[in-house]
Amino acid sequence: MELATAERRNMVERHLNQHREEGNSATYPLNLRGQRTYLPVIRLNPTYLLLNPDNHRLAAQLKDHSAKTAVEREPWGDDAQKTLHVLLSETEQFSDLKQQLRDFKQQEPGLITRDGLLVNGNTRVAALIDLGVNFVEVAVLPDTVSPTDILDVEMNLQLTELVHQDYTYTNELLMMRGFLDAGGSEEELGKRKGWTRGILPKVQWYMRPLDYIEEVRALSAPPIPYSEFD
């Protein structure tokens, strides 16, 4: 269901106020800007949340999709959100995840901004919407988070913590490239991968295939889909 940004933000704020007023102890631990932070966990109707077009689980698929321009032009609109939902439902382990959620319910909260944008848990929320649930649990980031913070959180969750479904090979490369393009250093990227020795050569060796992939894609029109390189 499409809501105006102000409506969605006000809804999140109301639930956060209720969380505080009731002395709710539900929190989610997260490393944010190098510090351990405990975020409030609230319940929201999943159809009110925004699937994230910058979610790197879909980076390759979206780059190759016919609706790419429309999604970029109006990412919060119903059509773009439906496109993202379809792409998530086509990921490799989506059916298994949906069955797991059907059997065991939601075990870990998603992660959203104050505007209701999903930073983590996009695939889980899409599956829960398919299952027809009335609410999902989401941890809420501080109002001061920046796009760089969001990418940093995604990097931490994907590369150093357990997630429900691994990124594809090309999506992981594109996420790493995004981290570097956003100003992250190769040294820091290597540390996120858990490397302690020979970090710079490893990062350069790891990223080199993406340059080859982009070169090969440029040789054809339309470009060869990223999925062919996975």
Side-chain angles (χ1 to χ4, degrees), residues 182-203:
S185 69
E186 292 181 341
E187 183 78 18
E188 180 62 25
L189 178 58
K191 290 178 180 178
R192 299 296 175 84
K193 291 289 291 181
W195 299 331
T196 57
R197 297 182 181 179
I199 290 178
L200 297 186
K202 283 183 180 178
V203 169

Side-chain angles (χ1 to χ4, degrees), residues 41-212:
V41 176
I42 62 176
R43 290 180 171 185
L44 294 173
N45 188 308
T47 62
Y48 295 156
L49 299 174
L50 291 172
L51 299 175
N52 193 342
D54 293 325
N55 166 27
H56 283 86
R57 186 180 301 287
L58 298 180
Q61 294 92 320
L62 193 55
K63 284 177 180 289
D64 291 326
H65 200 277
S66 59
K68 172 179 178 291
T69 301
V71 172
E72 290 175 342
R73 184 173 58 247
E74 195 176 354
W76 320 133
D78 278 346
D79 289 343
Q81 288 291 300
K82 288 176 182 176
T83 296
L84 295 173
H85 192 128
V86 169
L87 287 174
L88 288 166
S89 69
E90 292 174 347
T91 54
E92 184 177 2
Q93 296 176 323
F94 185 79
S95 295
D96 293 339
L97 173 61
K98 191 157 69 170
Q99 185 61 50
Q100 181 187 66
L101 289 167
R102 182 183 290 112
D103 293 341
F104 302 107
K105 311 305 179 185
Q106 184 184 9
Q107 299 295 310
E108 182 181 356
L111 183 64
I112 65 170
T113 66
R114 296 297 177 98
D115 293 323
L117 175 65
L118 282 156
V119 174
N120 189 47
N122 285 265
T123 314
R124 271 173 287 154
V125 168
L128 289 165
I129 290 173
D130 284 356
L131 292 172
V133 302
N134 294 321
F135 67 85
V136 297
E137 293 189 338
V138 288
V140 186
L141 286 162
D143 203 18
T144 54
V145 292
S146 66
T148 301
D149 291 328
I150 291 174
L151 176 59
D152 190 56
V153 167
E154 185 182 4
M155 290 282 294
N156 279 333
L157 291 173
Q158 175 58 25
L159 297 182
T160 63
E161 296 187 21
L162 179 65
V163 293
H164 289 281
Q165 182 182 181
D166 290 337
Y167 285 9
T168 64
Y169 174 64
T170 50
N171 278 333
E172 184 173 356
L173 291 180
L174 289 167
M175 179 177 65
M176 294 169 70
R177 174 67 72 197
F179 178 81
L180 295 173
D181 289 345
S185 69
E186 292 181 341
E187 183 78 18
E188 180 62 25
L189 178 58
K191 290 178 180 178
R192 299 296 175 84
K193 291 289 291 181
W195 299 331
T196 57
R197 297 182 181 179
I199 290 178
L200 297 186
K202 283 183 180 178
V203 169
Q204 293 162 7
W205 178 86
Y206 205 94
M207 297 305 301
R208 193 172 298 125
L210 183 58
D211 295 330
Y212 297 151

